[in-house]
């Protein structure tokens, strides 16, 4: 018995140090938990109260809905830049500033110096027609050219067999919109060679002017379009649409004038309208009676304006990897002042997208206060003009202020502050995400590694419900195309888009700061913060192992 006890004691003495050493070795190599990393990285500085404070300013009435361009949007830009400077983030805009300036051109028709006659009878501007802001004079016979398009892949040629030189063409289409039954994926080949939009094709065919016969939607909003074209004007980014030498004077006509134009012809206006906007078939082109003439004289006005992206860099710690970037983006514009609803005409855009704008600001502040730095640099871009057609993100990706090929991932936050509450049966809130839920789009479309990393961070940290309902190229809502991440994806940069879903206050005055779920915003912000850290610390950038489908790339 004693010999057995001695043997047990001796064995214990020999084994315990080995086990202890093995345990110490395991502990040294054990990966820190996500909670431990969160503490080290200072994620707790991102709070619901902080986000509420920032949103309360960005989405306040004083900023007047942050239209592009506007005084309110410029004020928001200065607010962002001031805080970035306080926290020590480096300017990444033009000439050592936080701003990337974007030149705009506003065009509008001068109704007082515009005249149109049909067979010598003057027409009334604003009632019979709306002039487009394309200066010029045209007098000529009329040629009907259907939808006006050239699309070789679909054997569509609006001018087939017809000579349009010196004539005024009549087009049944809502100002260069795609014909019914045609998608952008059908526009294959070279633009202006294999396919051409109606206004450009008319110019190429030598037409002297254009008469547009609009669809029902345009007619229903006739007064709004009239004000925009003759009072407010239409805006373009100068570098996207440089001024052309030759312009074609163009007007949009009312149904009454359209009926007069086609009176006595082989096809009346009603028949042609039904073909163009009903089943999508377009009639063969034909010349109208030679005794019908239209004279158009339009005087357009041009105004130069400016807007800006806001950009900053938080420099990484690794001497090599700091030359690469994890990009975070949100759009800080909204739609401005519009039609009053219940006496309120300011469209504050608290969810769309003050929620994303302020989350980026909170993340920048957290990085600035963290005890350590991520290995890669973090690029912050607050995009302007998203509501106008993704202007800011397109401009940045075409005229980048940092090398685009060094951006390893782009994370986009657009509408992340609303939640569907229990018992909410409002139809327009049916797709709104729950308090612990967020839609994730695009994380797996280009990089399997990025998608897996995104899920792992969430699972190991706060474990939000990631809803992939809209992570589909065939999504009828086309959410993948409708926010700023799209322009980064087009350049081959893998993206993640966080989105809470559409709701009853989308693009309405009711999108106000008091309706946001700030606790949800905190959870999403912290999760995005941890995700960017993990991407920034990867030894190798996320591999792009999937190509965007033609539908997405277009």
């Amino acid at each position: 018995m004693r010999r057995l006890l001695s043997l047990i004691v001796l064995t214990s003495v020999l084994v315990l140090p080995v086990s202890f050493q093995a345990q110490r070795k395991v502990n040294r190599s054990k990966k820190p938990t996500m909670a431990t990393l969160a503490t080290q990285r200072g994620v707790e500085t991102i709070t619901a109260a902080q986000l509420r404070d920032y949103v309360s300013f960005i989405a306040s009435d004083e900023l007047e809905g942050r239209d592009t361009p506007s005084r309110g949007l410029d004020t928001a830009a200065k607010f962002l830049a001031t805080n970035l400077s306080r926290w020590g983030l480096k300017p990444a805009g033009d000439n050592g500033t936080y701003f990337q300036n974007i030149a705009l051109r506003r065009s509008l028709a001068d109704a007082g110096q515009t005249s149109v006659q049909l067979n010598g009878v003057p027409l009334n501007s604003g009632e019979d027609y709306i002039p487009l802001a394309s200066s010029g004079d045209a007098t000529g016979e009329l040629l009907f050219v259907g939808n006006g398009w050239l699309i070789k892949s679909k054997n569509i040629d609006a001018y087939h067999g017809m000579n349009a030189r010196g004539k005024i063409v009549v087009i049944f289409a809502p100002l260069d919109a795609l014909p019914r039954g045609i998608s952008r994926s059908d526009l294959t080949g070279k633009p202006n060679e294999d396919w051409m939009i109606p206004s450009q094709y008319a110019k190429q065919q030598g037409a002297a002017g254009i008469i547009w016969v609009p669809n029902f939607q345009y007619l229903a909003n006739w007064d709004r379009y009239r004000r925009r074209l003759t009072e407010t004007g239409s805006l373009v980014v100068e570098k996207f649409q440089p001024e052309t030498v030759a312009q074609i004077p163009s007007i949009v006509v009312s149904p009454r004038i359209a009926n007069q134009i086609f009176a006595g012809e082989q096809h009346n206006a009603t028949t042609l309208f039904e073909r163009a906007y009903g089943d999508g078939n377009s009639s063969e082109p034909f010349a109208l009676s030679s005794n019908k003439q239209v004279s158009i004289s339009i005087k357009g006005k041009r105004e130069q304006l400016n807007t800006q992206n806001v950009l900053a860099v938080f420099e990484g710690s690794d001497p090599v990897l700091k030359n690469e970037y994890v990009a975070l983006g949100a759009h800080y514009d909204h739609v401005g002042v519009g039609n009053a609803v219940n006496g309120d005409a300011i469209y504050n855009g608290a969810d769309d997208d003050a929620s994303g704008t302020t989350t980026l600001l909170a993340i920048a502040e957290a990085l600035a206060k963290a005890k350590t730095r991520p290995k890669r640099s973090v690029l912050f871009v607050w995009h302007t003009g998203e509501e106008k057609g993704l202007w800011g993100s397109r401009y940045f990706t075409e005229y980048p202020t940092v090398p685009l090929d060094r951006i390893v991932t782009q994370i986009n936050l657009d509408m992340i502050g609303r939640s569907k509450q229990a018992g909410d049966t409002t139809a327009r809130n049916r797709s709104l995400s729950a308090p612990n839920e967020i839609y994730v789009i695009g994380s797996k479309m280009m990089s399997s590694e990025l998608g897996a990393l995104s899920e792992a961070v969430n699972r190991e940290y706060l474990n939000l419900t990631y809803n992939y309902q809209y992570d589909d190229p065939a999504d009828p809502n086309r959410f993948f195309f409708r926010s700023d991440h799209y322009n980064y994806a087009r350049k081959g940069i893998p993206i993640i888009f966080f989105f809470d879903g559409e709701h009853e206050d989308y693009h309405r005055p009711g999108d106000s700061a008091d309706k946001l779920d700030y606790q949800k915003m905190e959870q999403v912000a912290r999760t995005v913060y941890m995700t960017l850290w993990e991407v920034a610390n990867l030894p190798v950038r996320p591999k792009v192992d999937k190509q965007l489908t033609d539908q997405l790339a277009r």
Side-chain angles (χ1 to χ4, degrees):
M1 184 71 177
R2 288 184 63 183
R3 287 186 61 192
L4 178 59
L5 181 60
S6 299
L7 183 61
I8 292 173
V9 171
L10 179 61
T11 303
S12 300
V13 170
L14 293 173
V15 171
L16 280 175
V18 175
S19 300
F20 180 69
Q21 291 296 327
Q23 184 64 43
R24 286 182 63 188
K25 185 175 182 181
V26 169
N27 286 341
R28 281 201 304 268
S29 62
K30 187 177 181 181
K31 182 179 179 182
T33 65
M34 200 59 72
T36 301
L37 290 173
T39 300
Q40 293 173 357
R41 296 166 180 174
V43 73
E44 70 279 354
T45 63
I46 301 173
T47 67
Q50 168 202 40
L51 292 164
R52 183 190 297 272
D53 285 345
Y54 289 150
V55 171
S56 295
F57 177 75
I58 295 292
S60 64
D61 283 355
E62 286 77 8
L63 268 62
E64 300 168 337
R66 310 185 308 282
D67 194 11
T68 305
S70 69
R71 177 181 59 182
L73 188 68
D74 292 345
T75 301
K78 290 179 181 178
F79 175 79
L80 295 170
T82 298
N83 281 290
L84 295 168
S85 178
R86 287 174 55 226
W87 301 327
L89 275 76
K90 292 185 175 181
D94 300 331
N95 304 315
T97 72
Y98 292 99
F99 307 122
Q100 182 184 35
N101 294 309
I102 303 174
L104 307 176
R105 184 178 70 248
R106 187 194 302 277
S107 303
L108 66 162
D110 188 340
Q113 299 188 53
T114 294
S115 63
V116 177
Q117 293 184 356
L118 174 58
N119 294 331
V121 178
L123 304 183
N124 296 319
S125 177
E127 180 181 344
D128 294 327
Y129 70 93
I130 300 173
L132 275 62
S134 46
S135 296
D137 300 301
T139 298
E141 297 178 358
L142 302 175
L143 176 66
F144 170 73
V145 293
N147 58 42
W149 277 84
L150 172 68
I151 307 176
K152 291 183 178 179
S153 66
K154 293 295 183 180
N155 295 318
I156 294 175
D157 184 355
Y159 295 82
H160 178 68
M162 303 299 294
N163 181 7
R165 189 159 300 279
K167 294 184 171 62
I168 294 176
V169 295
V170 183
I171 300 175
F172 278 68
L175 282 65
D176 289 334
L178 284 167
R180 288 179 65 90
I182 300 295
S183 68
R184 293 196 176 276
S185 61
D186 296 318
L187 304 183
T188 58
K190 296 181 180 179
N192 297 330
E193 183 176 320
D194 296 306
W195 59 270
M196 209 175 301
I197 62 176
S199 57
Q200 187 66 31
Y201 199 21
K203 182 187 300 182
Q204 193 255 13
Q205 290 290 311
I210 301 175
I211 295 175
W212 301 92
V213 180
N215 61 2
F216 290 110
Q217 182 180 5
Y218 195 103
L219 294 172
N221 293 279
W222 181 271
D223 284 340
R224 182 162 64 90
Y225 286 116
R226 177 189 57 77
R227 287 194 300 271
R228 192 187 78 178
L229 292 169
T230 61
E231 299 175 17
T232 306
S234 58
L235 276 171
V236 296
V237 176
E238 283 276 9
K239 287 191 175 181
F240 296 167
Q241 295 188 29
E243 193 76 74
T244 54
V245 175
Q247 298 185 52
I248 299 180
S250 306
I251 62 172
V252 183
V253 296
S254 68
R256 185 178 76 86
I257 300 304
N259 283 324
Q260 287 186 20
I261 289 173
F262 287 95
E265 301 294 338
Q266 56 179 305
H267 299 294
N268 61 39
T270 301
T271 300
L272 294 171
F273 190 92
E274 289 174 351
R275 289 183 181 179
Y277 297 117
D279 58 19
N281 294 323
S282 183
S283 300
E284 288 294 316
F286 63 87
L288 277 72
S289 302
S290 59
N291 63 347
K292 290 181 181 175
Q293 277 203 348
V294 170
S295 295
I296 303 173
S297 179
I298 297 176
K299 178 67 174 179
K301 295 189 291 187
R302 298 286 187 269
E303 181 181 7
Q304 300 299 315
L305 301 168
N306 290 282
T307 186
Q308 62 280 313
N309 289 327
V310 182
L311 301 97
V313 167
F314 185 80
E315 192 173 75
S317 61
D318 187 276
V320 175
L321 292 180
K322 72 178 183 179
N323 296 313
E324 295 182 341
Y325 303 88
V326 180
L328 268 65
H331 72 91
Y332 73 108
D333 68 307
H334 194 52
V335 299
V337 179
N339 295 328
V341 178
N342 298 323
D344 186 2
I346 299 178
Y347 292 58
N348 300 103
D351 191 29
D352 185 16
D353 183 31
S355 63
T357 294
T358 55
T359 294
L360 256 62
L361 198 60
I363 289 174
E365 185 175 4
L367 283 171
K369 294 178 178 179
K371 296 178 180 179
T372 58
R373 288 176 175 260
K375 293 180 180 180
R376 286 183 177 82
S377 297
V378 182
L379 171 68
F380 292 88
V381 186
W382 285 268
H383 302 105
T384 186
E386 190 268 357
E387 301 289 1
K388 302 294 187 185
L390 313 187
W391 283 356
S393 55
R394 179 183 168 189
Y395 195 92
F396 176 78
T397 54
E398 292 189 12
Y399 306 97
T401 61
V402 303
L404 212 59
D405 60 359
R406 293 184 184 174
I407 299 178
V408 303
T409 296
Q410 199 268 348
I411 301 174
N412 182 38
L413 309 179
D414 189 354
M415 297 174 60
I416 59 167
R418 290 285 285 261
S419 295
K420 185 177 182 179
Q421 301 303 315
D424 185 353
T425 59
T426 305
R428 294 186 64 189
N429 291 339
R430 63 182 179 276
S431 63
L432 191 57
S433 53
N436 197 53
E437 178 185 34
I438 195 76
Y439 292 110
V440 179
I441 300 172
S443 63
K444 304 175 182 179
M445 284 187 183
M446 301 173 69
S447 172
S448 303
E449 181 183 349
L450 180 62
L453 181 148
S454 171
E455 288 189 331
V457 171
N458 178 56
R459 183 174 59 251
E460 296 172 21
Y461 182 43
L462 297 179
N463 200 27
L464 299 172
T465 299
Y466 275 11
N467 189 325
Y468 294 97
Q469 177 180 340
Y470 301 121
D471 192 36
D472 181 358
D475 167 31
N477 300 283
R478 295 174 58 82
F479 287 133
F480 182 83
F481 301 89
R482 289 170 54 183
S483 193
D484 291 310
H485 60 276
Y486 173 65
N487 282 313
Y488 292 83
R490 288 176 63 238
K491 297 293 185 177
I493 299 169
I495 64 93
I496 310 174
F497 173 31
F498 291 90
F499 172 59
D500 60 25
E502 287 190 351
H503 49 74
E504 61 184 327
D505 294 314
Y506 174 68
H507 283 192
R508 293 170 65 85
D511 186 6
S512 52
D514 60 298
K515 295 182 180 179
L516 298 193
D517 181 347
Y518 292 99
Q519 194 60 47
K520 174 178 180 172
M521 280 182 63
E522 176 188 290
Q523 301 300 304
V524 173
R526 290 184 174 190
T527 300
V528 170
Y529 184 74
M530 295 301 293
T531 302
L532 86 83
W533 267 87
E534 292 302 304
V535 176
N537 285 344
L538 287 173
V540 180
R541 66 192 295 163
K543 181 181 179 181
V544 177
D545 56 358
K546 301 176 185 178
Q547 294 297 316
L548 288 177
T549 64
D550 287 344
Q551 179 185 5
L552 294 178
R554 258 175 229 290

